[in-house]
Amino acid sequence: MNISEEIAGHIATAVRTLATTASSHLGTDCIWHAMACQHLLAREGIDDARLVAGYAAWRVDGHDPGAVVCHHVEGSAVAAGSGGFLFHAWVSCGNQVFDATTYQFRGKLAELDAADGGRTTVTWCPQFLLVDRKDCKPWRSVRDGVRAGLFCYEAIPTIVEQVTSHPDTQLDAEGIALLEQVYERVKDGNKLVVIGPCGVAATE
């Protein structure tokens, strides 16, 4: 069963709202985003969605050569934070790639710019991505591209196994309950303001 744009939009809104208000590791919390999306997809009867991990990169501007957010072994990582190993996690469903973390592009590059004094141009920062795997580009095409919106998703089996077998790769009961509540409000078209330990966000 394919993921529709409408369902993806609702799920991404709920996940983003909770992450921006409650995540103390925003920008390095792709596993949580993927697990949350997978859980809500299952609630919609889409049981074949799975968490995938590997390398990814996105070109966020076509004129700035350095405007690439990179979680790829062949490039320089620009993800916020440090520690661990370089990878990204997303959801795969049939031929679809669903990633609810792309709203973080500006924040990730802003942190990098603050560290190295750069000023990276960001003209492409979608709230989420729902794309066909055939539209993914090789890493070098994203790195050397001359238009915004190019992306690379490369699943790495060893990383998938390492991530999915880790004991922390699960949602806690309290988090699931809150996630489902926010999602139902989003689906019903009701605006909800969420206040959490890391900020305030509205479901819009």
Side-chain angles (χ1 to χ4, degrees):
M1 181 177 178
N2 281 344
I3 305 170
S4 70
E5 283 284 342
E6 181 179 33
I7 288 175
H10 289 160
I11 289 175
T13 297
V15 170
R16 181 177 66 252
T17 300
L18 280 186
T20 53
T21 57
S23 176
S24 59
H25 302 288
L26 199 65
T28 58
D29 52 359
C30 59
I31 295 176
W32 181 86
H33 278 72
M35 290 190 300
C37 289
Q38 184 182 28
H39 176 80
L40 293 178
L41 286 168
R43 280 178 57 86
E44 292 292 347
I46 304 175
D47 297 319
D48 55 343
R50 57 192 178 89
L51 186 153
V52 179
Y55 302 131
W58 308 264
R59 172 155 286 283
V60 297
D61 185 76
H63 301 290
D64 183 345
V68 176
V69 177
C70 178
H71 296 261
H72 200 287
V73 69
E74 294 184 28
S76 299
V78 299
S82 60
F85 63 97
L86 180 66
F87 74 95
H88 185 62
W90 62 94
V91 170
S92 176
C93 183
N95 291 323
Q96 293 178 299
V97 170
F98 179 30
D99 189 347
T101 69
T102 55
Y103 70 94
Q104 299 176 350
F105 289 165
R106 284 194 173 88
K108 290 182 178 184
L109 287 170
E111 290 198 16
L112 180 69
D113 286 346
D116 65 12
R119 295 188 66 179
T120 307
T121 304
V122 180
T123 55
W124 183 67
C125 187
Q127 295 293 291
F128 67 93
L129 275 186
L130 179 66
V131 295
D132 195 299
R133 190 176 293 109
K134 67 179 176 57
D135 294 325
C136 294
K137 305 297 182 184
W139 149 244
R140 288 179 176 82
S141 296
V142 176
R143 180 194 64 189
D144 302 330
V146 293
R147 67 177 177 86
L150 299 175
F151 50 84
C152 163
Y153 287 91
E154 182 181 347
I156 306 297
T158 54
I159 298 179
V160 174
E161 182 179 2
Q162 186 170 353
V163 170
T164 55
S165 64
H166 195 282
D168 290 339
T169 306
Q170 56 184 327
L171 299 173
D172 61 83
E174 182 178 349
I176 289 173
L178 183 56
L179 177 66
E180 292 177 349
Q181 289 175 31
V182 173
Y183 180 60
E184 290 305 318
R185 293 294 295 272
V186 172
K187 279 183 63 178
D188 291 341
N190 296 313
K191 182 177 179 179
L192 177 67
V193 176
V194 178
I195 302 173
C198 300
V200 179
T203 56
E204 57 182 8

